[in-house]
Amino acid sequence: MPTLAEVNVGDELPAQSFPLQRLNLIQYCGASGDFNVIHWNERIATMVGLPNVIAHGMLTMAEAGRVLTDWAGDPGRVVKYGTRFTKPVVVPDDDKGATVDVSAVVTEKGEDGTVTVELTATCDGSKVLGKAFGVIKLPAS
Amino acid sequence: MPINKDFIGKSYPASPPYLVGREKIREFATAIGDNNPAFHSVEAAQALGYSDVIAPPTFAFAVAFSTMAAAIGDPDLGIDYRFVVHGEEHFEYARPIIAGDELVVINTIEEINYVRSNEMMTVRQDLQTVDGEHVVTARNTLVSRGTAPAEEA
């Protein structure tokens, strides 16, 4: 687990890629309780103007959050986490689905023992999260 | 019909208690593909100083979401969910959610405003234990696409 002393502004957290297929969306529907039809029904998703079934924004946020919690060691050290949902992650019904690529960089060290991390999440090269950030409270040493 | 701005500032009574189950946390962590031992193993969570497995940060949404319809499904508020997408989500944690927590959610409508033809509504969701200990504050911004009144758009 990193300590405040050894972390510097500009440090990159280990980047991760998260593959998402239809099964993952259905599993997330059940686990989260969000059964919005656009996350599992292609007929209705396209009827309301979407290119195809899309992942829950909160599923994308959950995946991106793993970059924070894996780095923090103790996931309970994440004291703030926020994002905008700027572009849907489209998950086609094929053997490939979609992949969300997440990178993260330390942008601030606070006086209060926290570090702020900015997250970048892309799918097919387009940003899917906007102003995504986490604040993590680290031990001093 | 646009969203009724008279609801800005309205706070709803606390939801019925939500008992956070260990298996529910494991199910949620598995659904997001997260094998972090703190979410699955009681021993691993205890080694970090927690009494039981802790929940991934975004699990707070699942708890809050379960209470949202009861709070803002009010027909006088005038939201048509067919037009709604998730715009933003922010969490502030006093501590992680831990298996065994019995949580209530207090929903408060903080903001309703128009951005071009869209309406944005931000709901603050305070998650606290039945004993009144604050655990998480979530802010959920919903976007109602194309429903803003033309004269104010």
Side-chain angles (χ1 to χ4, degrees):
Chain A
M1 161 177 331
T3 62
L4 197 61
E6 63 197 25
V7 173
N8 295 300
V9 170
D11 285 359
E12 287 182 20
L13 281 61
Q16 296 191 50
S17 291
F18 304 101
L20 292 175
Q21 296 201 23
R22 289 288 177 86
L23 177 60
N24 302 108
L25 272 54
I26 289 162
Q27 217 176 343
Y28 188 79
C29 284
S32 69
D34 182 353
F35 286 91
N36 190 327
V37 68
I38 60 174
H39 303 308
W40 53 270
N41 186 318
E42 189 165 332
R43 179 174 55 85
I44 298 196
T46 52
M47 197 189 293
V48 298
L50 295 165
N52 205 324
V53 161
I54 63 168
H56 305 70
M58 288 308 299
L59 175 55
T60 305
M61 187 179 186
E63 300 296 0
R66 290 170 58 187
V67 170
L68 301 175
T69 52
D70 285 352
W71 181 72
D74 174 354
R77 292 194 174 282
V78 176
V79 293
K80 284 186 191 177
Y81 182 28
T83 190
R84 292 181 181 175
F85 303 103
T86 50
K87 196 169 186 291
V89 172
V90 179
V91 182
D93 181 23
D94 56 23
D95 295 331
K96 206 164 128 272
T99 300
V100 177
D101 300 304
V102 181
S103 61
V105 61
V106 175
T107 55
E108 202 181 317
K109 272 175 90 167
E111 297 291 314
D112 55 353
T114 62
V115 296
T116 302
V117 174
E118 274 183 24
L119 295 157
T120 304
T122 61
C123 182
D124 286 331
S126 296
K127 281 192 183 187
V128 292
L129 298 180
K131 295 191 193 297
F133 75 99
V135 176
I136 299 168
K137 194 164 181 60
L138 292 179
S141 57
Chain B
M1 187 175 73
I3 303 175
N4 185 349
K5 285 191 171 184
D6 291 345
F7 279 71
I8 296 171
K10 181 171 170 63
S11 203
Y12 292 83
S15 67
Y18 178 112
L19 178 59
V20 179
R22 187 188 291 162
E23 297 304 337
K24 187 66 194 181
I25 288 179
R26 288 174 173 155
E27 179 195 358
F28 185 88
T30 300
I32 65 171
D34 198 330
N35 297 321
N36 194 314
F39 307 144
H40 296 275
S41 157
V42 177
E43 292 72 28
Q46 286 176 343
L48 294 171
Y50 302 109
S51 57
D52 206 318
V53 297
I54 63 171
T58 61
F59 180 74
F61 177 84
V63 177
F65 182 79
S66 70
T67 70
M68 193 128 167
I72 64 170
D74 188 334
D76 291 338
L77 177 60
I79 290 190
D80 185 335
Y81 281 97
R82 292 174 305 170
F83 298 102
V84 168
V85 294
H86 201 177
E88 293 184 36
E89 186 72 30
H90 291 268
F91 299 106
E92 289 181 42
Y93 307 91
R95 64 163 175 81
I97 293 174
I98 304 171
D101 277 343
E102 211 172 336
L103 301 174
V104 298
V105 184
I106 298 163
N107 288 271
T108 305
I109 296 178
E110 276 197 334
E111 276 182 64
I112 297 169
N113 48 47
Y114 307 137
V115 178
R116 294 184 296 278
S117 65
N118 298 329
E119 292 178 290
M120 319 265 285
M121 181 172 83
T122 300
V123 181
R124 189 178 82 231
Q125 304 183 288
D126 290 302
L127 281 66
Q128 58 188 51
T129 67
V130 288
D131 300 323
E133 179 197 0
H134 173 249
V135 180
V136 189
T137 294
R139 281 186 172 78
N140 179 339
T141 302
L142 300 174
V143 180
S144 181
R145 294 184 299 161
T147 57
E151 65 271 24
E152 293 194 55

